[in-house]
Amino acid sequence: MTPEAAQQKIAELRAEVARHDELYHRQAQPEVSDFDYDQLKRALADLEAQFPQFASGESPTERVGDDRAEGFETYRHRQPMQSLDNTYSEAELREFHARLGRVLERESLDYVIEPKIDGLAVSLTYEQGRLVRAVTRGNGVEGDDVTVNIRTIKSLPDKLKSAADAPVPEVIEIRGEVYMTLAEFARINAEREEEGAALYANPRNLAAGTLKLLDRAEVAARQLEIVLYGLGYCEPGNMIGETQSGFHALVRKWGLPTVEKIWTAHGIDEVWAAVQELDAMRHDFSYATDGAVVKLNPIKLQRDAGSTSKAPRWAMAYKFAAERAETLLKGITIQVGRTGVLTPVAELEPVQLAGTTVSRATLHNRDEIARKDIRIGDHVYVEKAGEIIPVVLGVNAAKRAPECVPYAFPERCPVCATLVVQLEGEVALRCPNYECPVQVRRRVQHFASKGCLDIDGLGSAMVDTLVDKGWVRSIADLYRLQRNDLLTLGKSVEKSTDNLLAAIATSKHAELWRVIHGLGITHVGAAAAKDLAKHFGSLEALAAAKYEDFIAGKKESVINGIGETMALAILAYFQKPENAALVRELRALGVEPAAPEKSAPTGNRFAGKTFVLTGTLPTMTRDEAGAKIEAEGGKVSGSVSKKTSFVLAGEEAGSKLDKARTLGVTVIDEAEFLRMLSAE
Ligand code: IVH
């Protein structure tokens, strides 16, 4: 290649890599797979090495991606946060060891092998053992302060445990990875699919997107997790032991979540054996693991090896390439969801992929099929994203038969033939027919399912029968079923019929949250349903709620765990006449769900007092504080008025605090609250 051509190519690749960096780090919506991105970056690095005259100091190969986003304060790390060099090849991993041997002038080297968690890096600062700050990697030098969001992670302690063999340093910055479990990812994507929103490609993108939400309640509604694996800064500096494996043990003793398992290895052969062992077991982990991180174990040797501008020389990520397969797309079927969303599904010639046979894969929506120009009869590439859902990546154009025509997405619902519609701001097409048999079936199935009303004997097949017979057209019809009709379903069905009717009758008095969950309101899962049940106490009260009952002044949630997105979905649900009618019908049919019991107070310190809680408290959630208030005979209210006795305010308190000040209501912090609780 001529220097001119190389210069041109380098410029193109730099722009391309920078574009993908932006999509990945800032928008959490990459267009290409990690593997393709790594290949592109490698091609650029190779060219830059071959033509050093075009070094700029500004190339994406010389810096870490930047995740800083609008709406966050930035914070400077005490020690820069670096990235890792990576490879997909065993030979390069061996070369990494050989290079370290040369640099450190040693033949034998000890390593630690850790799972590489596919999430996003954060740095936590604990001062005097208390969590004071959580910051994303940002550009490596400074990152976004995401403390408020990080505090929603239940498994992360606010206070480190101290032990004789694990004293807690004055100040420590600990690095780790925020991630989302595969199960939580699947739950959220299933919900998105119903809503017709674009699906998240993998748990990493969703975790990244979640951590950068500005609404804490929304963050709390999606469960994030964290593991800690590295040291950033420590004061005094001699308190973290001499090895990386020892540091892991310390982190664990302090009560912080750590990786599932680490391996120690002597020499590169043992390293390679550990990497393979990890590869074999990683599919059983609760999170996506995209590789192994190999680190020198002795911390002194890590220091001796040092770093480049971007990454340490003492560590290397060995990445597992996602398995791909090529197969024939035999057809496209359309599934209709509970809310009428049409989801195209690829029907594939069965193919082996990452240990399972794949015969179906999601095609997401009409736009995705058009963007990738996927046609029936094409040979397509399939990959397992985030280890679970197979997706069609694209088409092998070379194998396209001339008779393959572009795919025409159906204009009518495949079930009830109603013309489909596209709602504003949505990618999905929907069947607008509320009475479409599939929608009815799915709604009733959801209502009767284990996580909702848990009606024995009312499984999917039974629901299908009831809908097909025309006896059930809505949830309310379940409570109108006639014994005589049911007895026509077969011989000797008397007992099962009576059991079913008894189970349906019992469900009339199920816990309120089950009914709320059972309605299938977008975004409202079991946890939110419980919060709503506790707050509103009846279905009617929830149905009558207004925006202000959910969201106050500066977009602050009135109810813990219910953010604006959820509030809007609830309001939209009850605005629909058919849903408002359903609530009335259920009541008329005798459905009277049990309101959550308030536990009787055990003390009376706060008898007659009303508290309003706002902001993030340092050591407890608002729910916990609320429970303590109620246990002492006090009341918790969502809005501040002259009658409010105290406003208990934490960090980032919003409009409620302003209002308390205007009205002259006493404002207390958590420390004062705890004093009041323990006062004689
Ligand atoms: S060590 C200076 N260990 O992978 C050392 N990183 O691709 C920096 N990651 O930026 C990181 N699991 O976000 C380390 N066990 C692990 C990791 C890990 C995941 C992430 C981390 C890093 C990225 C590099």
Side-chain angles (χ1 to χ4, degrees):
M1 192 182 280
T2 65
E4 292 73 29
Q7 189 174 19
Q8 172 72 22
K9 187 76 194 159
I10 286 173
E12 278 169 26
L13 284 171
R14 280 181 185 159
E16 187 68 0
V17 173
R19 190 171 77 83
H20 290 304
D21 274 339
E22 164 78 18
L23 285 167
Y24 182 90
H25 290 288
R26 277 207 226 255
Q27 301 182 23
Q29 277 187 347
E31 277 177 12
V32 294
S33 71
D34 282 9
F35 183 77
D36 291 341
Y37 169 82
D38 288 333
Q39 297 295 95
L40 209 61
K41 202 159 170 180
R42 178 60 74 93
L44 172 58
D46 287 350
L47 265 185
E48 286 174 340
Q50 216 183 322
F51 297 93
Q53 64 269 43
F54 304 127
S56 72
E58 287 289 300
S59 173
T61 55
E62 294 163 69
R63 52 181 147 94
V64 305
D66 191 348
D67 68 48
R68 288 171 304 166
E70 289 283 311
F72 292 89
E73 300 272 331
T74 50
Y75 192 85
R76 207 179 163 86
H77 304 295
R78 284 191 172 88
Q79 276 294 325
M81 277 179 89
Q82 294 198 299
S83 181
L84 284 176
D85 285 333
N86 70 46
T87 178
Y88 290 83
S89 115
E90 179 188 345
E92 284 184 5
L93 188 62
R94 289 181 178 276
E95 174 49 30
F96 156 74
H97 166 70
R99 197 166 52 237
L100 277 178
R102 287 194 298 273
V103 172
L104 298 169
E105 297 176 344
R106 280 171 183 254
E107 295 227 326
S108 95
L109 288 169
D110 289 319
Y111 296 94
V112 168
I113 296 91
E114 301 168 4
K116 182 172 183 324
I117 306 102
D118 198 10
L120 67 154
V122 288
S123 180
L124 305 182
T125 306
Y126 282 85
E127 289 177 9
Q128 270 81 44
R130 291 268 178 195
L131 176 67
V132 294
R133 203 169 300 103
V135 183
T136 65
R137 186 170 66 190
N139 64 356
V141 176
E142 57 177 35
D144 283 344
D145 183 334
V146 288
T147 316
V148 173
N149 290 349
I150 287 289
R151 285 190 198 277
T152 64
I153 301 178
K154 297 191 187 77
S155 55
L156 183 70
D158 179 65
K159 192 170 181 295
L160 297 182
K161 284 192 226 155
S162 181
D165 59 345
V168 169
E170 296 274 301
V171 180
I172 186 161
E173 267 188 23
I174 310 176
R175 270 78 197 262
E177 202 83 357
V178 170
Y179 68 92
M180 185 175 278
T181 62
L182 300 171
E184 178 68 352
F185 170 71
R187 182 188 74 76
I188 294 169
N189 249 357
E191 210 175 83
R192 303 267 299 177
E193 189 135 29
E194 280 288 344
E195 287 160 31
L199 293 194
Y200 294 99
N202 58 54
R204 188 264 161 203
N205 298 343
L206 182 48
T210 303
L211 194 63
K212 290 296 179 84
L213 290 174
L214 294 171
D215 182 341
R216 183 173 180 271
E218 294 301 334
V219 181
R222 303 176 184 178
Q223 218 172 307
L224 290 175
E225 302 286 347
I226 191 168
V227 284
L228 286 314
Y229 50 65
L231 176 70
Y233 171 86
C234 185
E235 206 181 287
N238 56 355
M239 290 182 70
I240 43 107
E242 290 173 0
T243 57
Q244 174 70 16
S245 50
F247 180 68
H248 272 281
L250 263 181
V251 169
R252 200 177 289 253
K253 283 187 187 145
W254 288 333
L256 295 169
T258 52
V259 288
E260 310 262 329
K261 181 172 160 75
I262 61 166
W263 287 257
T264 49
H266 180 75
I268 195 67
D269 290 333
E270 282 186 26
V271 166
W272 183 242
V275 168
Q276 281 173 309
E277 207 177 297
L278 168 62
D279 191 11
M281 68 192 289
R282 70 192 167 103
H283 297 287
D284 297 328
F285 293 174
S286 63
Y287 46 73
T289 311
D290 60 345
V293 184
V294 181
K295 301 176 179 174
L296 265 180
N297 199 15
I299 289 173
K300 170 162 188 320
L301 290 189
Q302 294 182 356
R303 291 208 187 97
D304 292 349
S307 313
T308 66
S309 65
K310 206 196 97 181
R313 287 197 190 86
W314 47 265
M316 175 67 95
Y318 175 83
K319 291 179 70 170
F320 305 117
E323 271 188 64
R324 279 183 194 188
E326 189 185 314
T327 189
L328 177 72
L329 177 64
K330 296 192 298 187
I332 295 176
T333 50
I334 306 285
Q335 277 181 356
V336 185
R338 189 173 75 216
T339 56
V341 169
L342 272 55
T343 306
V345 176
E347 304 292 342
L348 306 165
E349 185 65 42
V351 62
Q352 281 296 114
L353 188 59
T356 52
T357 308
V358 172
S359 53
R360 307 184 86 198
T362 177
L363 289 166
H364 298 320
N365 53 55
R366 178 179 64 181
D367 295 355
E368 277 290 297
I369 298 179
R371 192 170 70 80
K372 294 175 180 163
D373 187 18
I374 295 169
R375 307 178 183 191
I376 296 171
D378 268 338
H379 288 261
V380 292
Y381 300 111
V382 211
E383 187 178 282
K384 275 207 181 167
E387 319 288 333
I388 25 179
I389 326 166
V391 292
V392 174
L393 290 173
V395 171
N396 181 350
K399 285 199 188 162
R400 175 169 284 166
E403 63 272 17
C404 273
V405 291
Y407 178 70
F409 203 92
E411 288 174 3
R412 290 179 181 274
C413 169
V415 180
C416 68
T418 306
L419 276 177
V420 297
V421 295
Q422 184 165 29
L423 302 184
E424 213 184 297
E426 287 192 352
V427 282
L429 297 175
R430 283 176 196 265
C431 163
N433 176 12
Y434 188 74
E435 279 159 30
C436 172
V438 190
Q439 290 187 45
V440 175
R441 231 176 261 159
R442 295 262 161 104
R443 273 201 298 276
V444 177
Q445 280 166 355
H446 174 72
F447 186 78
S449 69
K450 277 231 161 318
C452 301
L453 276 293
D454 194 12
I455 303 177
D456 247 3
L458 201 52
S460 303
M462 187 63 179
V463 172
D464 286 353
T465 308
L466 300 179
V467 174
D468 289 346
K469 289 275 178 192
W471 299 333
V472 169
R473 290 201 191 84
S474 81
I475 289 170
D477 283 347
L478 286 178
Y479 298 97
R480 297 191 179 103
L481 282 172
Q482 297 297 317
R483 187 166 186 273
N484 284 346
D485 285 339
L486 292 171
L487 289 178
T488 65
L489 288 178
K491 284 186 205 144
S492 38
V493 290
E494 225 161 272
K495 188 147 189 279
S496 58
T497 297
D498 289 337
N499 287 344
L500 174 61
L501 289 172
I504 293 176
T506 308
S507 76
K508 289 182 178 177
H509 306 292
E511 295 152 286
L512 176 59
W513 72 265
R514 292 186 173 273
V515 181
I516 297 175
H517 187 206
L519 295 177
I521 306 170
T522 309
H523 297 304
V524 179
K530 285 180 187 169
D531 292 336
L532 292 166
K534 191 156 165 254
H535 186 84
F536 288 101
S538 77
L539 205 50
E540 285 77 6
L542 173 64
K546 302 198 178 55
Y547 181 82
E548 309 78 73
D549 297 319
F550 297 104
I551 307 294
K554 290 186 197 160
K555 301 239 160 170
E556 201 178 344
S557 303
V558 173
I559 310 160
N560 238 355
I562 312 294
E564 196 187 27
T565 311
M566 213 187 294
L568 293 175
I570 296 167
L571 292 168
Y573 179 88
F574 289 109
Q575 251 157 30
K576 287 199 180 142
E578 60 267 25
N579 295 332
L582 175 63
V583 172
R584 284 195 299 275
E585 274 179 88
L586 286 174
R587 174 50 63 109
L589 289 161
V591 178
E592 286 182 19
E597 273 181 36
K598 297 233 180 230
S599 40
T602 49
N604 61 358
R605 277 192 179 87
F606 299 147
K609 303 273 187 254
T610 305
F611 286 72
V612 172
L613 312 180
T614 178
T616 310
L617 301 171
T619 71
M620 58 180 107
T621 65
R622 277 185 279 173
D623 273 343
E624 284 161 358
K628 288 190 201 302
I629 292 166
E630 282 164 7
E632 287 294 336
K635 273 206 201 116
V636 180
S637 159
S639 52
V640 183
S641 74
K642 277 195 203 137
K643 292 194 200 132
T644 308
S645 322
F646 301 102
V647 168
L648 171 53
E651 237 181 85
E652 316 236 339
S655 57
K656 292 181 197 171
L657 184 57
D658 303 341
K659 190 152 179 211
R661 294 208 171 110
T662 324
L663 293 175
V665 174
T666 312
V667 177
I668 56 171
D669 63 3
E670 189 192 272
E672 178 61 30
F673 176 63
L674 292 173
R675 269 196 292 280
M676 287 161 71
L677 268 176
S678 58
E680 287 301 316

